[in-house]
């Protein structure tokens, strides 16, 4: 009976000791020993770091309507202003590349547009620059289309006129077509005239000079034979010569004695040698296959420049009618 009583007493004491250990851990107030309800349960629970920018669960933040996440918390949506990062920005200006203009997209995000002539490529504004050749310039400093000046060189002589090496037009301009040809004196083959002209120039590479003379078939026993020579071509240039005869009576039987046949206007000849050399053509006029004195007509002369060297020096024309 005594043994039974001792056993029950020991069991009761053990139960009291266990109960005390479970309630206090080290005997202190709840929470001070790390075993209480606040001893880490909230710090490590689902809400731990939910609004902490550095917490690993910051991406799980859910903001109410009209707000968005900024800096680990929720802020109110703002007006669509690129200076503040647009509707869903966080107060910093939208990043914008050079030559770009910031804007806000319909979705409230940062965007940008490129001012012409720049265009957008990925996240940059680029411009395709033109070259002197693209612009047709042989001199000067035109804009490349992107706001930068090109260096297209200078002219060896004369001046740079709208990107082309040229000279001040001579007093006979504009004589750039046969319908606007400069009219010279009348030439009578009975007088064997010999005319020299040295006040004509080609002022740039696209310039063309046309001259026209009326030729009389005088009483000298034959139809007019016409020789035209182009000389004093400026060094560095290449000038070509052509002469054409258009009969007053409508016939068209003139032949080319010197030069290459060229019937682009009436019947005529052309001469084209490389470089600054003399060019010569000769026409044997004929309108009706007779030697009568009824073959008058218009002599048209054309001078062109396949190569223009930039010199403003005049060339020389010599016209002989026999």
């Amino acid at each position: 009976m005594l043994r039974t009583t001792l056993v029950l007493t020991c069991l009761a004491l053990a139960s009291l000791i266990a109960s005390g250990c479970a309630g206090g851990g080290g005997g202190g107030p709840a929470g001070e020993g790390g075993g209480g309800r606040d001893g880490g349960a909230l710090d490590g629970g689902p809400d731990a770091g939910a609004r902490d920018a550095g917490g690993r669960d910051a991406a799980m933040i859910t903001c109410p309507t009209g707000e968005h996440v900024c800096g680990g918390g929720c802020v109110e949506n703002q007006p669509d202003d690129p200076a503040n990062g647009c509707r869903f920005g966080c107060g910093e200006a939208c990043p914008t590349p050079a030559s770009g203009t910031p804007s806000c997209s319909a979705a409230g995000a940062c965007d940008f547009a490129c001012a012409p002539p720049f265009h957008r490529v990925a996240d940059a504004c680029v411009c395709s620059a033109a070259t002197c050749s693209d612009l047709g310039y042989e001199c000067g400093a035109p804009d490349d289309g992107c706001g930068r000046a090109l260096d297209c060189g200078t002219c060896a002589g004369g001046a740079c006129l709208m990107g082309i090496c040229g000279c001040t037009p001579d007093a006979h301009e504009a004589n750039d077509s046969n319908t606007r040809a400069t009219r010279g004196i009348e030439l009578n083959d009975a007088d064997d005239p010999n005319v020299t002209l040295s006040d004509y120039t080609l002022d740039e590479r696209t310039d063309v000079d046309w001259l026209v003379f009326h030729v009389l078939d005088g009483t000298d026993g034959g139809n007019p034979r016409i020789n035209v020579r182009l000389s004093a071509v400026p060094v560095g240039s290449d000038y070509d010569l052509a002469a054409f005869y258009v009969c007053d009576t409508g016939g068209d039987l003139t032949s080319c004695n010197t030069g290459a046949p060229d019937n682009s206007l009436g019947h005529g000849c052309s001469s084209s040698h490389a470089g600054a050399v003399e060019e010569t053509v000769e026409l044997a006029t004929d309108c009706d296959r007779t030697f009568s004195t009824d073959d008058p007509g218009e002599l048209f002369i054309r001078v062109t420049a396949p190569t223009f060297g930039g010199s403003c020096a005049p060339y020389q024309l010599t016209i002989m009618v026999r």
Side-chain angles (χ1 to χ4, degrees):
M1 184 71 178
L2 179 60
R3 179 179 293 179
T4 302
T5 301
L6 288 173
V7 170
L8 290 174
T9 299
C10 288
L11 289 172
L13 287 173
S15 177
L16 287 173
I17 291 171
S19 177
C21 291
E32 291 183 0
R37 183 173 181 274
D38 292 332
L42 290 179
D43 292 338
D47 293 334
R51 294 179 183 268
D52 179 0
R56 72 177 183 177
D57 296 325
M60 299 173 61
I61 297 174
T62 300
C63 296
T65 301
E67 295 186 5
H68 62 278
V69 177
C70 270
C74 294
V75 298
E76 292 184 357
N77 296 344
Q78 55 191 357
D80 268 338
D81 182 358
N84 294 321
C86 297
R87 189 187 324 153
F88 300 118
C90 296
E92 296 180 356
C94 291
T96 307
S99 301
T101 302
S103 63
C104 296
S105 70
C110 285
D111 202 355
F112 69 90
C114 299
F118 291 84
H119 59 278
R120 184 168 181 167
V121 175
D123 292 328
C125 290
V126 299
C127 181
S128 300
T131 65
C132 293
S133 178
D134 294 335
L135 299 174
Y137 272 62
E138 60 186 29
C139 59
D143 190 291
D144 68 354
C146 299
R148 296 180 294 268
L150 292 169
D151 182 2
C152 299
T154 58
C155 301
C160 184
L161 308 173
M162 299 297 293
I164 297 176
C165 290
C167 312
T168 301
D170 61 42
H172 303 289
E173 294 291 345
N175 58 348
D176 296 335
S177 67
N178 65 292
T179 58
R180 304 183 69 179
T182 302
R183 182 163 290 278
I185 62 174
E186 189 170 62
L187 306 174
N188 189 328
D189 71 340
D191 299 330
D192 293 338
N194 189 331
V195 178
T196 298
L197 303 173
S198 56
D199 60 343
Y200 286 80
T201 64
L202 294 180
D203 51 74
E204 46 97 0
R205 60 183 170 85
T206 62
D207 188 21
V208 179
D209 280 356
W210 281 87
L211 299 82
V212 60
F213 299 85
H214 187 254
V215 178
L216 288 176
D217 186 1
T219 55
D220 64 346
N223 294 335
R225 189 176 73 254
I226 303 170
N227 182 283
V228 182
R229 184 173 73 251
L230 168 66
S231 58
V233 177
V235 175
S237 295
D238 176 13
Y239 291 0
D240 287 350
L241 172 68
F244 311 92
Y245 197 71
V246 179
C247 296
D248 289 351
T249 57
D252 204 6
L253 301 172
T254 297
S255 59
C256 179
N257 287 352
T258 303
D262 185 340
N263 300 330
S264 55
L265 177 65
H267 276 198
C269 303
S270 62
S271 178
S272 176
H273 296 95
V277 299
E278 290 189 0
E279 306 286 357
T280 301
V281 297
E282 184 174 278
L283 305 173
T285 68
D286 191 1
C287 299
D288 56 9
R289 294 193 185 281
T290 69
F291 293 103
S292 63
T293 58
D294 60 354
D295 289 342
E298 299 276 23
L299 168 65
F300 287 90
I301 299 173
R302 184 188 66 200
V303 179
T304 56
T307 301
F308 181 74
S311 173
C312 298
Y315 57 84
Q316 183 170 291
L317 281 175
T318 303
I319 304 107
M320 295 180 290
V321 181
R322 300 290 184 266

